[in-house]
Amino acid sequence: MPSPRCRSILVTGCSSGIGRATVAALLAEDFHVFAGVRSTADAERLQAEFGDGVTALTLDVTRAEQIRHAAEDVRRLAPEGLAALVNNAGVGAPGPIELADPEELRRLFEVNAIGALQMMQAFLPHLRRGSGRIVNLSSMNGVISLPMVGAYSASKFALEAISDALRIELMPWKIPVVVIRPGQVRTPIFGKARVEIERRRGEVPAHLATGYETPYRRTAKFNDRGDQSATSPEAVARVIVKAITCRRPRRQYHVGWDAIGLRIAQRFVPGRLLDRALGRAIGSLRRQPRPQDEPAQSPAAAASGSPIGP
């Protein structure tokens, strides 16, 4: 268990879903939680809901000034340091890589990877004082890139790489770096994704519509399945608490039968066979005729003003 003198933990992305469930689970273990949310309204709501056990912080992990202010507040209110930093804040963007907007991809990296990195850099002094540890919320998409969520996967792969390197580099200070890999979790993100999938589906260029029609339709189906997932935010929160409180945490934890199944498939199924299985699941195996009037530039490159190059 963390030292009794150090009972403070910082969690990002606490307005709903896994973040909010983690706040409740940590309060049940008598921790004080610094709960990061992006808006003042969410901070006030969270503070009113959980009371004195929580210090709500307005904290957008992409804004260096807000991170600096949060670090100052934590140092003032918890001079003994932190027992843990939980990087939970994250965003997603469904759609094929060919049509990915480069600016949107940058946004995914800013939140899911660079934002987490900035948080770790800013709060490592607090973790050293508190003999604490880092818990990063990744995904099975961080170790196996699934079709139609490749941009999100890329950002989670980056978070995994950062976590692996940092785990070794922090060995002199005995600060564990733990990665949590949930499968689909029943959170409000699927309701938001449903709207995005339909919007993006309607924006597919005409010459690509036939090829991407089935993948988009099945992505919507998988999204609806996620909305009914058996894995709750509370189940993930329990694993986060375990990673914080156990004496020797694992390097990675997998949450949900789908996460465990994907992990087994990645380890034991040959790559070509796995590719075909995923292609069949998403509907990508049917060949499309090459259109005679295909544009010289991809839709994403044309939108960004960037020419196609090697």
Side-chain angles (χ1 to χ4, degrees), residues 10 43 100 130 135 144 199 211 230 234 237 239 282:
L10 172 58
V135 179
I144 178 169
R199 180 182 69 81
E234 290 74 20
V239 176
I282 204 68

Side-chain angles (χ1 to χ4, degrees), residues 196-277:
E196 276 297 294
I197 290 167
E198 289 305 313
R199 180 182 69 81
R200 293 163 192 258
R201 185 177 182 178
E203 294 176 352
V204 176
H207 69 283
L208 298 176
T210 303
Y212 284 127
E213 170 60 26
T214 299
Y216 262 111
R217 177 164 44 81
R218 294 194 181 176
T219 297
K221 181 178 178 181
F222 292 140
N223 182 79
D224 290 344
R225 186 180 300 172
D227 202 23
Q228 303 298 320
S229 171
T231 304
S232 66
E234 290 74 20
V236 182
R238 287 194 293 270
V239 176
I240 292 171
V241 171
K242 180 179 179 180
I244 291 171
T245 57
C246 69
R247 183 174 181 180
R248 297 183 64 182
R250 302 177 193 170
R251 296 167 72 247
Q252 301 99 16
Y253 291 84
H254 298 84
V255 189
W257 286 110
D258 52 347
I260 295 170
L262 278 173
R263 180 61 172 164
I264 293 171
Q266 184 191 40
R267 180 171 295 181
F268 296 109
V269 178
R272 286 180 180 272
L273 185 58
L274 184 58
D275 282 354
R276 289 193 63 81

Side-chain angles (χ1 to χ4, degrees), residues 1-4 7 29 31 131 133 241 244-248:
M1 292 285 290
S3 169
R7 304 294 295 178
E29 296 292 329
F31 285 102
S131 300
R133 56 191 61 174
V241 171
I244 291 171
T245 57
C246 69
R247 183 174 181 180
R248 297 183 64 182

Side-chain angles (χ1 to χ4, degrees), residues 87-135:
N87 281 310
N88 168 67
V91 293
I97 288 292
E98 179 180 11
L99 304 180
D101 180 354
E103 287 303 316
E104 185 173 59
L105 186 60
R106 290 188 183 95
R107 171 66 178 171
L108 288 174
F109 273 82
E110 284 287 341
V111 177
N112 296 346
I114 298 172
L117 172 62
Q118 291 183 131
M119 288 294 296
M120 290 183 277
Q121 290 173 332
F123 287 92
L124 269 169
H126 303 70
L127 294 167
R128 286 191 175 96
R129 286 198 305 276
S131 300
R133 56 191 61 174
I134 295 168
V135 179

Side-chain angles (χ1 to χ4, degrees), residues 5-198:
R5 69 180 179 83
C6 180
R7 304 294 295 178
S8 296
I9 293 174
L10 172 58
V11 184
T12 65
C14 296
S15 60
S16 63
I18 294 172
R20 184 190 174 283
T22 300
V23 172
L26 289 170
L27 289 176
E29 296 292 329
D30 294 325
F31 285 102
H32 182 86
V33 183
F34 292 96
V37 291
R38 286 197 301 166
S39 72
T40 302
D42 282 338
E44 292 173 349
R45 176 180 56 79
L46 205 68
Q47 194 72 65
E49 181 178 359
F50 289 112
D52 294 339
V54 166
T55 299
L57 304 172
T58 304
L59 178 57
D60 183 333
V61 300
T62 67
R63 299 182 62 179
E65 188 70 7
Q66 288 192 8
I67 293 175
R68 184 177 65 81
H69 284 311
E72 292 172 354
D73 289 343
V74 171
R75 185 179 183 90
R76 175 173 52 85
L77 296 171
E80 73 282 3
L82 290 175
L85 165 65
V86 181
N87 281 310
N88 168 67
V91 293
I97 288 292
E98 179 180 11
L99 304 180
D101 180 354
E103 287 303 316
E104 185 173 59
L105 186 60
R106 290 188 183 95
R107 171 66 178 171
L108 288 174
F109 273 82
E110 284 287 341
V111 177
N112 296 346
I114 298 172
L117 172 62
Q118 291 183 131
M119 288 294 296
M120 290 183 277
Q121 290 173 332
F123 287 92
L124 269 169
H126 303 70
L127 294 167
R128 286 191 175 96
R129 286 198 305 276
S131 300
R133 56 191 61 174
I134 295 168
V135 179
N136 288 331
L137 264 291
S138 181
S139 166
M140 281 309 297
N141 288 285
V143 290
I144 178 169
S145 188
L146 299 176
M148 302 296 285
V149 287
Y152 173 74
S153 286
S155 68
K156 288 297 186 179
F157 266 72
L159 178 61
E160 292 266 353
I162 290 168
S163 300
D164 285 346
L166 194 62
R167 183 182 301 111
I168 308 304
E169 294 165 358
L170 293 180
M171 281 181 173
W173 294 276
K174 296 183 179 180
I175 298 176
V177 179
V178 180
V179 169
I180 310 291
R181 295 173 182 161
Q184 288 186 312
V185 182
R186 193 173 64 248
T187 69
I189 193 172
F190 290 105
K192 300 173 185 176
R194 185 180 299 111
V195 175
E196 276 297 294
I197 290 167
E198 289 305 313

